Amino acid sequence: MAKQPLKVAVVGGGWAGCAAGVELASKGARVTLFEAARMLGGRARAVQAKEALLDNGQHIMLGAYAETLALLRRVGVAERDALLRLPLQMRYPPGSGLMDFVAPRLPAPLHMLAALLRATGLEREDKLALARFSTSARWMKWGLDTDCSVAELLARFDQTPRLTRLMWRPLCLAALNTAIERASANVFLAVLRDSLGARRKDSDMLLPRVLLDALFPEAARRYIEERGGRVACGARVDTIARLDGGWQVGACLGAAGFDAVVLATPAWQSAALVRPLAGLEALGARLDAFDYEPISTVYLQYAPGLRLPLPFCALLDDPARGAWGQFVFDRGQLGPGQDRGQDGLLAVVISAALDAAKLAQDELARLVAVQLAAAFRQPALAEPRWSRVLTEKRATFACTPGLDRPGNATGLDGLFLAGDYTAGDYPATLEMAVRSGAAAARLALGAR
């Protein structure tokens, strides 16, 4: 008698859940993926605004995101079509007198040495501080025995105020979505290890050319369904319970039995599902203990044909003076052939956006447009045709020193956690979500 395939429920259709579903389906498991929303993607998805279909936030990946890139290949997504690959860089608007740092396409570590020598907008003492920090971080193997804040780390290695303002602070905000005064030095060092300290190809920056749902989640849906699985959107899971050596999952579609369950919902939602289970009260409390940081993305639509000098630029933010933007992306330059139906659309990102999100959306958009006009010396940027502000209130966990992040195993047979908040050396990134989803799936495959 043929052995029945393992039946696994994946609860949550974000990148962690989709990664788990793909890994399970590739190994012959019968997957049912439940997603409460009407579309997949979680916090990295496209949303239908009144004016256009927009990504819920702008993402940058690294060439070092090995598991994400392998997963995209597995589900049939070609990197050249889906991602724009650029060399590692930190560039402010041309003519601003601020930092312009670009790594040339040379073997590591020559690419970093050349970038440092060619960098403009930095004084000699800034370049020496950066070189000293990079050398020390390599010697420490990109980690500390005792974690501390990024601000403490930078002070320990005598980083200059200008370098901190133009490079370290915006990098930390972009990668960890947490201010340097509160952010984990060890997690920040892990990101730097795979950018400043990586092979040249691994340090490249990858910008999505397509909307986020088309980048991976929809391809994951096809992959799972082609292998006999089911993807149920608009299906919120309310309960999970032990049942006859397996698990019962209760959703609006009814109850069903499974051999294993992967909870790939955000930590606070997973907490609500595990808390009623005997023996998991402490895990529920750990999942409830996370603090969160918002991210706001301000979309500004201008006349077709408008171009910024670069596909993306850093911006010098100064909230006290109404300058909130930290990075700006020219969406019209990202797509294949520079034609994605988003010509003239700019996306301005504000990380750790708690204060920015308190402003009225129209006012925040107006201030960002004025900031762009001043930064690029183009008065027309102050008058977009339309604007839209999208704020993800719990975009990421606050990535603080020594944070208690649970592993994938829950302690109960057949029940596993997946999400960018689980134990790992990366912050809440797409790569961390993918790694966690795949790891949870591998554990679930051994559940029977």
Side-chain angles (χ1 to χ4, degrees), residues 385-404:
R385 292 185 170 184
W386 56 260
S387 63
R388 173 66 60 179
V389 178
L390 299 179
T391 297
E392 187 71 41
K393 293 182 179 179
R394 290 192 275 196
T396 70
F397 59 85
C399 194
T400 52
L403 187 64
D404 177 25

Side-chain angles (χ1 to χ4, degrees), residues 21-362:
V22 168
E23 179 70 18
L24 289 161
S26 73
K27 300 300 191 295
R30 188 61 55 86
V31 177
T32 301
L33 190 154
F34 298 90
E35 168 54 45
R38 294 295 176 182
M39 63 188 305
L40 301 175
R43 287 162 288 144
R45 68 190 187 281
V47 298
Q48 183 64 61
K50 181 177 66 174
E51 299 84 0
L53 190 64
L54 303 169
D55 280 337
N56 196 41
Q58 180 68 51
H59 287 262
I60 297 180
M61 299 189 290
L62 294 176
Y65 283 12
E67 292 206 32
T68 300
L69 294 175
L71 188 65
L72 293 178
R73 290 192 294 270
R74 178 182 285 182
V75 298
V77 175
E79 179 188 318
R80 66 181 179 276
D81 296 330
L83 298 167
L84 174 64
R85 183 179 283 265
L86 298 172
L88 178 69
Q89 56 193 268
M90 179 65 78
R91 311 187 73 178
Y92 287 83
S96 65
L98 302 174
M99 183 177 186
D100 190 34
F101 178 98
V102 185
R105 297 193 181 280
L106 296 173
L110 293 178
H111 71 311
M112 287 303 302
L113 177 61
L116 189 59
L117 291 174
R118 297 177 182 177
T120 60
L122 296 178
E123 302 295 336
R124 180 174 180 273
E125 62 177 343
D126 303 319
K127 295 184 178 183
L128 289 174
L130 176 54
R132 183 170 60 248
F133 181 89
S134 299
T135 300
S136 299
R138 288 178 186 274
W139 178 78
M140 297 186 305
K141 297 183 178 179
W142 304 95
L144 302 171
D145 292 334
T146 302
D147 203 1
C148 64
S149 73
V150 171
E152 292 175 86
L153 175 72
L154 299 177
R156 187 179 303 178
F157 291 99
D158 299 319
Q159 298 301 283
T160 64
R162 183 174 179 82
L163 186 62
T164 297
R165 182 79 176 98
L166 296 181
M167 184 168 183
W168 298 132
R169 179 179 174 276
L171 270 180
C172 183
L173 283 171
L176 276 65
N177 194 33
T178 309
I180 60 172
E181 293 78 13
R182 302 178 60 227
S184 164
N186 268 337
V187 176
F188 187 56
L189 285 167
V191 174
L192 296 181
R193 177 196 65 210
D194 292 342
S195 52
L196 298 183
R199 296 180 302 168
R200 198 279 306 161
K201 185 176 181 180
D202 289 345
S203 71
D204 284 347
M205 292 178 162
L206 308 178
L207 277 62
R209 291 180 178 272
V210 297
L211 292 169
L212 290 171
D213 59 331
L215 178 58
F216 170 57
E218 286 305 315
R221 177 205 290 270
R222 292 192 296 272
Y223 187 94
I224 293 167
E225 292 178 342
E226 287 169 358
R227 286 154 183 79
R230 180 188 182 197
V231 176
C233 290
R236 179 179 297 278
V237 170
D238 300 314
T239 60
I240 56 172
R242 300 295 297 270
L243 177 67
D244 298 331
W247 289 89
Q248 185 180 66
V249 174
C252 60
L253 301 177
F258 297 91
D259 299 307
V261 176
V262 175
L263 290 183
T265 47
W268 69 89
Q269 294 180 4
S270 294
L273 291 171
V274 306
R275 200 181 300 110
L277 300 173
L280 295 190
E281 298 85 357
L283 176 60
R286 291 172 70 191
L287 294 173
D288 270 333
F290 285 96
D291 292 325
Y292 296 91
E293 295 278 2
I295 296 177
S296 291
T297 305
V298 180
Y299 286 97
L300 302 166
Q301 178 67 62
Y302 298 91
L306 180 135
R307 288 285 185 273
L308 294 184
L310 299 165
F312 82 102
C313 280
L315 298 170
L316 191 64
D317 64 327
D318 187 354
R321 297 186 178 183
W324 292 94
Q326 296 155 358
F327 289 91
V328 57
F329 297 79
D330 186 342
R331 304 277 296 202
Q333 293 191 48
L334 300 185
Q338 299 183 4
D339 181 13
R340 301 175 61 226
Q342 298 195 64
D343 196 20
L345 181 64
L346 306 184
V348 180
V349 177
I350 307 170
S351 297
L354 185 62
D355 291 334
K358 295 176 182 177
L359 298 176
Q361 292 190 2
D362 288 348

Side-chain angles (χ1 to χ4, degrees), residues 6-29:
L6 188 75
K7 293 176 61 179
V8 184
V10 178
V11 183
W15 280 57
C18 287
V22 168
E23 179 70 18
L24 289 161
S26 73
K27 300 300 191 295

